Amino acid sequence: MPVKPKLTRFNQNVLSKYQIYNSIFMTLPFDAVTKTGVLLPLFHETCKKGFNNGDDPTAIVDSFFEKYQARRNKQSQINLLFRFIQYIERQVVLFDAIEDASFSVVNNMEGLGTLRNLKETASSEGKLEELKAFLEEFKVRIVLTAHPTQFYPGSVLGIITELTDAIKRNDLTEINNLFGQLGKTPFFKQKKPTPYQEAKSLMWYLENVFYQSFGDIYNYIQTNIYDDGKKHNDIINIGFWPGGDRDGNPFVKPETTLKVAKKLKKSILKKYYQDLKNLRRKLTFKGVEDRIIRLETIMYEYSINLKTKKAISAKELRAELLSIRDVIVNEHQSLYVSEINNLINRVHLFAYRFASLDIRQDSRIHHNVFTTVIDHLIAKGNSSFPDNYHDLSEAEQIKILSKATDDIEDLEIFEDEMVSNTLKTIAIIKDIQKSNGERGANRYIISNNQTALNVIQLFAMLRMVAFKDNLTVDVAPLFETIPDLENAPGVMEQLYLNPEYMAHLRARGSKQHIMLGFSDGTKDGGYLMANWGIYKAKELLTEMSRKYDITVIFFDGRGGPPARGGGKTHNFYSSLGPTIEDKEVQITIQGQTVSSNFGTNDSSQYNLEQLITSGIKNRIDGEKNRLSNEDRTVMNDLAETSYQTYKDFKSHPMFIPYLERMSTLKYYAKTNIGSRPSKRGTSDKLVFSDLRAIPFVGSWSQLKQNVPGFYGVGTALKVYEDKGEWHKVEDLYHNSKFFKTLLENSMMSLTKSFFDLTKYMSKDEEFGGFWNIIFEEYKTTKRLLLKLTGYTELMENEPSGKASIEVRESIVLPLLTIQQYALKKIQEFEKAGVAADDPEKLIFEKIVTRSLFGNINASRNSA
């Protein structure tokens, strides 16, 4: 039977089911307000017609109450709006669950970009040995971050999982029960989570998704591609930031890091225990049963008490499992050998760490800490640091630091908490390596890295505090802003020329980890320049590293939406060409991207396989993806024009006031979704450089303007149209998969924009002109992207993706309307000089905050 088109599969398995289940859902009485489920469709229709007629959100809400609920008093109206929010949040969950349940039907799990397709293609073309060789050196690492854009608490995630399973089975009774549970389960946290609570929440995915999907992928590679029973490259691994990422988070303490590491180890030991418990029921034959029971007992006790004397190492566990497998193969006709192979492979993938815990801190913090430490050492005497150290040039300081031999063992002598905690964290890294294995914590990322001195300061601290001459930690600079990206190759050459640092790299396999920040890059330089700036930086860093026989490992700090490096990431990695090192793909996964792309075994396996095959595709297409000099000139010109356009926009006097007063920016801090502050600085005044990328991009998303995903693109393209050189842009689009991917991701940002929502702002005396600047850029970008692609509508090449977005945007249309209605009321209060603690004003602020949740969750990659 021929496979139906993807859009047809989506309509039949997602859209139709949503319409059926939603009709059941809307009849459930969740609260004291009667007929909420009946009134919400009427309100939805009022919103839809109102925006089509050019009405503003206030007029739409007022007309709804006049037409359908004229007898309600003001308090009753507010209560109904809160009930609408409650229902819509849960409609989003329902749609999530239905999409998750239908994932393997809508997406071809054996089609293009999957391992099965890759293996069959390689076999048919006689390239299986080439594929094996590639897989021996290629790796994909996804890193779960502490960035708080996931609004679902753990209890709701559990319901989504149960609901997904029930929908797969079409179990109406269970679905009905889960609807009821959903209606009574809170969607928001009363208090901010601690970093440890954040870590535990993300470990849910390790235990319930990644343990399974990583294992399944590796089992397939071992069984179907290698098929020799030998130990091979692990290919896929996972990183972890909660508990280790202290950049701008004062609540992450050294004891937090250690506690998270212990929890990671206990979690993986419990998974091994469960697998051994299941194996025990099957491996009941002579020479095997007693050994499996012994391992099961050890793992059980070890998972409860990490200090038990019965503990064995991960290496010993794997060796014993391999020995048991030999007995099964030689004496028991290989009975259940695949089951024990599965466990052997998981021990190979996860060992006793489960995930590699990264440590991250800002270079400015390191500088302050190190200054204090050096002052102490100089004052104490007998130091390798001269008295005039602080007066020396950067080059002279680097030379001294790289050879520093001072021991800093008594960490309690430093009274400053930041100094003490930074040094204790370094000591704890070594403790974690002893317990969880070296890969349990072996990378330290320096955010806001600007100079070689930033790297060498940390390099020296690591050695002086804990590691001496055996530094088993990779020091990874993070380059974020456009100027930092431009300076990065020079910084790295300075490091490569340092004999002590180079000796460290040689000991680490001649590999240098470098992180590049898409989120802050976009915030700083706009969409096109951020992506092009990182592309060029990668090329130059690759060239520089190869010059010194160093393999650079790029680690991309990506967010969920295109504006923060998200979108179709596998297309991006398959388009890089031969001038960028591609031995590994490493990316951050955060917020809704965790649940939307990796929330189930099916979606996790599918998206991981797409990342693996993207690297292989890039290797195969290498020369095809090389940019010609002509295309490079056009790309650079577009990026520069876009950058200047975005910089002018940022410097507009209304830019900060607009975000402060017309968007939801200041409400992110009130959502209690993450442990860290929503901005870096402590000043009450909003400063652009203090803004974190998540609330910045998220606020534009809530306005349905999505500025960071397209602003400057239209103006840059229009320059070529105006000077009659449009054919040059067309050539670039047809020649460069990289450029094509950028524009397709930008289209997603445009598709999720809805300017009718905020059209009322165009008439505002203060902000009308600024709103019109944004709208004009949106119209120009949309027009020229359609002209360039030849599409009649945005995302024409991805009909199922576009259909999913349309359903989600339709679900939250009433929610967006309510949010804008509340924001307009707040603006009126502020213009009238109403006190900040006015009860009515506080109610509308609560409406804005509550409406953030559903809007973010519906977008799935909006922040």
Side-chain angles (χ1 to χ4, degrees):
M1 184 182 292
V3 178
K4 294 177 182 177
K6 193 172 181 180
L7 179 60
T8 304
R9 301 199 302 271
F10 174 85
N11 288 334
Q12 290 178 347
N13 294 280
V14 179
L15 186 57
S16 296
K17 279 188 178 180
Y18 174 71
Q19 290 166 343
I20 293 167
Y21 288 132
N22 189 47
S23 62
I24 299 170
F25 175 78
M26 295 301 281
T27 63
L28 296 179
F30 289 149
D31 47 66
V33 178
T34 57
K35 299 181 180 177
T36 307
V38 176
L39 291 171
L40 182 53
L42 294 174
F43 182 55
H44 185 280
E45 192 60 27
T46 304
C47 294
K48 195 174 173 183
K49 286 181 178 177
F51 287 120
N52 285 339
N53 294 333
D55 296 337
D56 64 66
T58 302
I60 289 170
V61 173
D62 288 344
S63 69
F64 169 77
F65 283 122
E66 286 170 17
K67 187 172 182 180
Y68 298 108
Q69 295 290 296
R71 294 181 181 178
R72 284 186 186 270
N73 59 34
K74 188 175 280 188
Q75 182 59 51
S76 180
Q77 289 178 358
I78 293 293
N79 288 344
L80 183 61
L81 293 180
F82 274 114
R83 298 291 81 77
F84 282 164
I85 292 170
Q86 180 191 30
Y87 264 72
I88 294 164
E89 283 175 336
R90 287 151 179 80
Q91 282 180 306
V92 173
V93 168
L94 172 60
F95 191 74
D96 281 349
I98 292 170
E99 272 207 316
D100 286 344
S102 307
F103 188 91
S104 61
V105 178
V106 174
N107 297 278
N108 187 351
M109 301 295 285
E110 297 182 3
L112 203 63
T114 64
L115 285 171
R116 184 177 295 275
N117 178 267
L118 181 71
K119 189 245 180 178
E120 290 175 356
T121 303
S123 296
S124 65
E125 295 177 358
K127 294 182 177 179
L128 196 58
E129 292 306 313
E130 285 182 49
L131 175 61
K132 289 179 183 179
F134 178 85
L135 290 175
E136 282 291 12
E137 66 172 9
F138 180 70
K139 291 180 187 290
V140 168
R141 179 188 291 194
I142 60 170
V143 181
L144 305 182
T145 80
H147 298 321
T149 54
Q150 174 55 266
F151 282 71
Y152 293 139
S155 54
V156 175
L157 285 173
I159 295 171
I160 294 175
T161 302
E162 296 293 328
L163 189 55
T164 299
D165 290 341
I167 289 169
K168 277 184 178 179
R169 302 192 309 270
N170 287 317
D171 187 339
L172 285 173
T173 302
E174 182 63 10
I175 290 168
N176 215 43
N177 289 337
L178 288 164
F179 280 168
Q181 183 185 356
L182 200 58
K184 296 178 180 295
T185 302
F187 267 51
F188 59 95
K189 302 177 177 75
Q190 299 294 343
K191 295 190 300 183
K192 275 183 174 290
T194 65
Y196 180 67
Q197 288 168 337
E198 277 181 334
K200 281 180 67 178
S201 294
L202 269 184
M203 282 183 210
W204 185 92
Y205 291 98
L206 291 177
E207 295 168 355
N208 295 283
V209 179
F210 292 119
Y211 185 76
Q212 182 70 35
S213 62
F214 272 51
D216 289 348
I217 289 171
Y218 196 71
N219 290 342
Y220 179 84
I221 291 170
Q222 285 286 84
T223 305
N224 294 279
I225 295 178
Y226 288 117
D227 194 23
D228 56 9
K230 295 178 182 176
K231 183 178 178 180
H232 293 280
N233 172 32
D234 56 11
I235 302 169
I236 44 175
N237 56 79
I238 194 159
F240 204 74
W241 273 18
D245 180 12
R246 50 212 352 103
D247 177 21
N249 192 337
F251 308 111
V252 178
K253 309 292 185 186
E255 50 269 26
T256 311
T257 307
L258 192 59
K259 192 176 179 183
V260 169
K262 286 180 178 178
K263 178 66 176 172
L264 283 167
K265 182 172 182 178
K266 283 191 171 188
S267 295
I268 192 61
L269 292 174
K270 284 178 182 175
K271 297 303 292 185
Y272 295 156
Y273 161 68
Q274 288 165 2
D275 280 358
L276 286 163
K277 187 177 178 182
N278 292 332
L279 278 172
R280 177 184 178 177
R281 293 199 296 269
K282 296 177 178 179
L283 303 181
T284 52
F285 20 90
K286 186 179 178 182
V288 172
E289 183 178 28
D290 290 347
R291 295 170 74 177
I292 287 291
I293 290 172
R294 173 181 163 270
L295 288 179
E296 179 197 5
T297 304
I298 290 171
M299 285 299 114
Y300 176 74
E301 290 191 19
Y302 201 7
S303 68
I304 294 171
N305 177 18
L306 295 179
K307 294 181 180 178
T308 178
K309 291 180 179 178
K310 290 186 178 180
I312 59 173
S313 68
K315 189 176 180 180
E316 290 169 333
L317 171 61
R318 190 171 185 277
E320 177 66 357
L321 289 170
L322 285 168
S323 176
I324 291 170
R325 185 182 71 179
D326 288 342
V327 175
I328 292 170
V329 171
N330 295 325
E331 299 178 21
H332 301 289
Q333 295 75 49
S334 296
L335 197 57
Y336 296 121
V337 74
S338 62
E339 281 86 343
I340 197 160
N341 273 334
N342 291 350
L343 180 53
I344 290 167
N345 288 339
R346 285 182 168 89
V347 175
H348 176 47
L349 288 177
F350 301 113
Y352 281 175
R353 65 184 178 275
F354 216 153
S356 298
L357 192 59
D358 281 341
I359 311 298
R360 184 171 77 132
Q361 183 56 283
D362 192 288
S363 64
R364 291 163 292 194
I365 298 291
H366 286 156
H367 181 75
N368 293 337
V369 169
F370 205 67
T371 299
T372 304
V373 170
I374 291 174
D375 287 344
H376 165 76
L377 292 171
I378 292 172
K380 194 176 75 167
N382 300 320
S383 170
S384 58
F385 294 94
D387 292 348
N388 67 337
Y389 171 82
H390 297 303
D391 299 323
L392 299 176
S393 68
E394 181 179 306
E396 289 172 317
Q397 288 184 349
I398 287 173
K399 190 174 181 180
I400 292 168
L401 283 171
S402 61
K403 297 177 181 178
T405 56
D406 303 65
D407 284 343
I408 310 171
E409 294 178 344
D410 185 5
L411 307 182
E412 300 300 333
I413 59 175
F414 298 101
E415 295 180 2
D416 184 284
E417 187 181 16
M418 184 58 76
V419 175
S420 174
N421 284 344
T422 303
L423 299 178
K424 285 179 181 176
T425 298
I426 289 171
I428 277 170
I429 295 173
K430 194 165 187 180
D431 293 337
I432 293 171
Q433 289 190 355
K434 287 176 183 174
S435 172
N436 295 19
E438 185 197 303
R439 288 171 63 186
N442 67 340
R443 182 164 65 183
Y444 199 128
I445 298 154
I446 311 165
S447 52
N448 191 45
N449 196 101
Q450 298 179 331
T451 66
L453 181 61
N454 295 152
V455 175
I456 294 296
Q457 282 177 333
L458 177 61
F459 174 70
M461 274 199 286
L462 287 163
R463 297 205 302 173
M464 290 160 65
V465 172
F467 292 91
K468 310 309 180 227
D469 294 326
N470 183 29
L471 179 54
T472 51
V473 177
D474 297 308
V475 181
L478 165 54
F479 300 105
E480 299 173 272
T481 66
I482 302 304
D484 289 347
L485 288 168
E486 291 171 350
N487 295 333
V491 169
M492 296 316 300
E493 182 163 40
Q494 202 175 347
L495 291 168
Y496 294 154
L497 287 169
N498 182 279
E500 286 75 24
Y501 188 76
M502 183 58 91
H504 162 66
L505 291 182
R506 296 289 179 227
R508 300 295 293 163
S510 295
K511 293 180 179 179
Q512 170 66 57
H513 291 243
I514 297 177
M515 188 173 178
L516 301 162
F518 282 80
S519 299
D520 282 289
T522 305
K523 181 171 77 77
D524 179 60
Y527 179 68
L528 268 189
M529 179 51 94
N531 282 277
W532 179 238
I534 287 173
Y535 185 96
K536 287 195 299 180
K538 282 187 172 183
E539 284 189 316
L540 293 171
L541 287 165
T542 298
E543 184 182 7
M544 183 64 70
S545 300
R546 287 174 178 172
K547 176 181 171 183
Y548 292 95
D549 194 27
I550 295 293
T551 300
V552 63
I553 306 297
F554 290 117
F555 173 28
D556 292 336
R558 294 177 172 275
R564 294 185 53 236
K568 302 291 183 181
T569 49
H570 54 277
N571 287 345
F572 176 88
Y573 288 109
S574 66
S575 71
L576 294 179
T579 55
I580 292 175
E581 198 69 76
D582 63 351
K583 293 275 180 31
E584 295 194 28
V585 170
Q586 294 198 10
I587 57 173
T588 53
I589 306 291
Q590 58 198 47
Q592 314 102 328
T593 313
V594 181
S595 55
S596 62
N597 288 1
F598 300 92
T600 67
N601 286 325
D602 286 339
S603 63
S604 175
Q605 182 171 338
Y606 180 82
N607 285 298
L608 282 167
E609 289 188 16
Q610 293 288 322
L611 282 172
I612 293 170
T613 56
S614 72
I616 297 169
K617 177 73 171 163
N618 184 57
R619 186 68 62 89
I620 293 168
D621 292 346
E623 285 304 318
K624 289 185 195 173
N625 291 331
R626 187 189 289 272
L627 284 171
S628 68
N629 290 335
E630 294 82 0
D631 287 340
R632 183 177 289 275
T633 300
V634 176
M635 183 71 231
N636 199 64
D637 190 36
L638 288 170
E640 290 290 348
T641 304
S642 173
Y643 183 34
Q644 189 57 53
T645 305
Y646 182 74
K647 281 205 300 184
D648 293 343
F649 176 64
K650 271 197 317 181
S651 62
H652 193 288
M654 287 293 106
F655 184 86
I656 293 294
Y658 185 80
L659 278 174
E660 262 189 314
R661 289 158 51 197
M662 306 300 277
S663 83
T664 58
L665 182 67
K666 62 186 176 186
Y667 298 96
Y668 269 77
K670 300 178 181 180
T671 55
N672 290 333
I673 52 168
S675 67
R676 68 182 188 172
S678 59
K679 65 187 186 77
R680 286 183 171 88
T682 55
S683 170
D684 289 336
K685 187 178 178 182
L686 185 61
V687 180
F688 183 79
S689 59
D690 286 342
L691 276 178
R692 289 195 179 278
I694 288 169
F696 174 73
V697 173
S699 296
W700 290 113
S701 173
Q702 295 281 325
L703 284 168
K704 287 296 157 189
Q705 292 174 359
N706 288 320
V707 160
F710 70 83
Y711 200 91
V713 176
T715 296
L717 292 172
K718 191 171 184 296
V719 169
Y720 276 82
E721 183 185 51
D722 289 346
K723 63 184 181 181
E725 296 182 347
W726 185 249
H727 64 280
K728 292 184 178 180
V729 180
E730 288 180 321
D731 289 344
L732 175 62
Y733 178 75
H734 292 299
N735 295 340
S736 171
K737 188 178 176 183
F738 169 74
F739 182 58
K740 192 173 185 178
T741 298
L742 289 188
L743 297 191
E744 287 178 353
N745 283 339
S746 191
M747 277 193 190
M748 189 187 295
S749 293
L750 293 170
T751 303
K752 292 183 177 183
S753 297
F754 181 57
F755 278 82
D756 285 350
L757 179 71
T758 55
K759 197 174 183 180
Y760 71 92
M761 294 181 188
S762 65
K763 300 169 187 172
D764 188 274
E765 288 182 16
E766 191 175 3
F767 294 107
F770 187 74
W771 186 92
N772 280 305
I773 289 172
I774 301 169
F775 187 48
E776 286 303 316
E777 183 65 20
Y778 163 80
K779 288 193 296 183
T780 301
T781 305
K782 181 179 177 180
R783 177 179 70 81
L784 290 175
L785 285 185
L786 291 177
K787 178 181 178 178
L788 182 59
T789 58
Y791 299 161
T792 55
E793 58 181 30
L794 296 170
M795 292 183 69
E796 190 177 299
N797 63 322
E798 293 184 74
S800 62
K802 182 179 176 67
S804 176
I805 289 171
E806 286 173 350
V807 176
R808 290 175 177 279
E809 295 300 319
S810 176
I811 291 171
V812 295
L813 183 65
L815 198 56
L816 293 164
T817 309
I818 292 168
Q819 185 184 78
Q820 284 298 317
Y821 169 74
L823 280 169
K824 189 77 168 62
K825 290 289 185 186
I826 293 166
Q827 290 156 18
E828 289 170 2
F829 282 134
E830 288 174 347
K831 283 180 181 176
V834 172
D837 59 352
D838 178 81
E840 194 173 356
K841 182 169 178 281
L842 291 173
I843 285 291
F844 284 109
E845 288 183 347
K846 187 177 179 183
I847 287 176
V848 173
T849 304
R850 288 287 287 108
S851 61
L852 284 170
F853 296 75
N855 290 337
I856 285 286
N857 288 331
S859 294
R860 285 210 138 179
N861 70 350
S862 61

